[in-house]
Amino acid sequence: MSAATLSPLAPTITIEADPKIGLRGHLRHTGALIRRNLLWIKQDPESMMDAVLMPVIFTLLFVYVFGGSIGQALGGGQAAYVQYVIPGMIAMMSMNIAQGVGTGFNEDFNKGIMDRFRSLPIGRGSVLVAKIAVELIRLLVATTVVMVIALLVGFHVNGHWGGLLASLGLTALFGSAIMWIFLVLGVTMKNAQSVQAMGFLVMMPLQFGSSIFAPTSSMPGWLSAFTKYNPMSGLADTARGLMTGGPIAHGMTVTLVWTVGLTVVMAPIAIRKFTRKT
């Protein structure tokens, strides 16, 4: 395959479509753009480092640095903390990987790739959906890495394999909703550094003000109230219940409400801002 074929400035896309693009055209364009994005990852494998290395670092860090002390509070030491934190780590991946779609999207604008797309009869929504689809593939890689490391440090599914798969599906669903926020940031911010900085401002309160890493019972009342309806707590608690056994009703409700709400509100905004900019 020639270098020109893999170049992001000359993606391998052959599209012949009428100005009015139907559903079949959008699906065809989305498939071509997914292929283009995957080829770019193949050409630049370092772009997968966050999906491969970050789960390893976070899992080992929290298990071996905080696992003993928090595990004692859970009444079972480090082994108890492994059972607690691994579902939370899977939930955390949904937001960490989602940030990549915003920075990558912004870089595509700054590198002139969107100028190339502008000259082609591509459905504008197809560009966004293709980005989300590829990030979901990266999310699948990240969660697979988490589970491999989890098994190595002593995590036990205890027969809840169906719950594990359901947790991965719910994580992907919520992750796709979060990605619309980062797509909006990718369109509106000036550079990838700004997208990343704004992303951290969104991510940090939601991740650390949640039940991902530690139980919320000892938190102040106002923070405990925040965590109760924090979507990251909802996702972590639901994954925990599905993977190790326990209640899931409240967490599932919170997660699905946030997922639907974010998609309904942010997806049209992202598509509208992208269409105007291109």
Side-chain angles (χ1 to χ4, degrees):
M1 187 174 292
S2 65
T5 303
L6 293 177
S7 171
L9 296 179
T12 309
I13 300 176
T14 303
I15 296 175
E16 297 177 1
D18 296 327
K20 189 175 181 180
I21 302 171
L23 177 61
R24 287 187 61 187
H26 277 289
L27 293 175
R28 185 158 49 90
H29 300 170
T30 301
L33 289 166
I34 289 174
R35 180 174 178 269
R36 173 260 170 191
N37 291 335
L38 291 176
L39 286 173
W40 176 237
I41 291 176
K42 181 179 178 181
Q43 184 186 19
D44 182 26
E46 292 181 359
S47 62
M48 287 294 295
M49 289 183 65
D50 61 332
V52 175
L53 295 181
M54 185 169 58
V56 176
I57 294 172
F58 269 95
T59 302
L60 296 180
L61 177 67
F62 278 92
V63 167
Y64 291 111
V65 175
F66 303 107
S69 57
I70 300 179
Q72 287 181 359
L74 292 171
Q78 183 174 290
Y81 187 65
V82 169
Q83 294 298 111
Y84 180 90
V85 78
I86 293 301
M89 297 298 296
I90 290 178
M92 187 184 74
M93 289 299 106
S94 65
M95 183 167 284
N96 286 353
I97 297 298
Q99 185 179 12
V101 74
T103 55
F105 201 50
N106 186 275
E107 288 175 350
D108 283 349
F109 274 104
N110 293 332
K111 291 178 179 178
I113 296 174
M114 293 304 172
D115 293 333
R116 169 64 171 163
F117 289 163
R118 190 183 295 118
S119 66
L120 298 172
I122 299 175
R124 294 297 184 257
S126 300
V127 178
L128 303 180
V129 173
K131 279 285 187 184
I132 289 178
V134 172
E135 291 303 314
L136 288 176
I137 294 174
R138 285 178 9 97
L139 177 58
L140 177 61
V141 172
T143 51
T144 301
V145 172
V146 168
M147 285 311 304
V148 171
I149 299 301
L151 295 175
L152 292 176
V153 299
F155 181 76
H156 300 290
V157 179
N158 294 329
H160 295 90
W161 293 104
L164 171 60
L165 295 177
S167 299
L168 297 180
L170 186 63
T171 299
L173 187 65
F174 179 73
S176 65
I178 289 289
M179 288 174 195
W180 289 111
I181 297 178
F182 286 99
L183 283 172
V184 172
L185 294 177
V187 173
T188 56
M189 306 300 285
K190 291 184 178 180
N191 51 58
Q193 290 78 12
S194 299
V195 175
Q196 192 172 33
M198 185 61 68
F200 274 114
L201 291 178
V202 174
M203 287 167 44
M204 298 305 282
L206 290 177
Q207 289 182 346
F208 287 94
S210 72
S211 63
I212 289 178
F213 306 113
T216 61
S217 56
S218 62
M219 294 182 180
W222 61 270
L223 183 56
S224 181
F226 171 77
T227 62
K228 186 176 181 180
Y229 298 102
N230 181 343
M232 299 307 298
S233 288
L235 182 57
D237 292 341
T238 303
R240 200 168 285 124
L242 290 170
M243 294 172 64
T244 63
I248 63 172
H250 175 75
M252 180 76 76
T253 301
V254 170
T255 303
L256 291 178
V257 168
W258 275 97
T259 298
V260 173
L262 288 174
T263 303
V264 169
V265 173
M266 301 307 298
I269 295 175
I271 294 173
R272 183 169 62 252
K273 286 185 175 295
F274 176 67
T275 301
R276 289 178 178 176
K277 193 166 183 177
T278 55

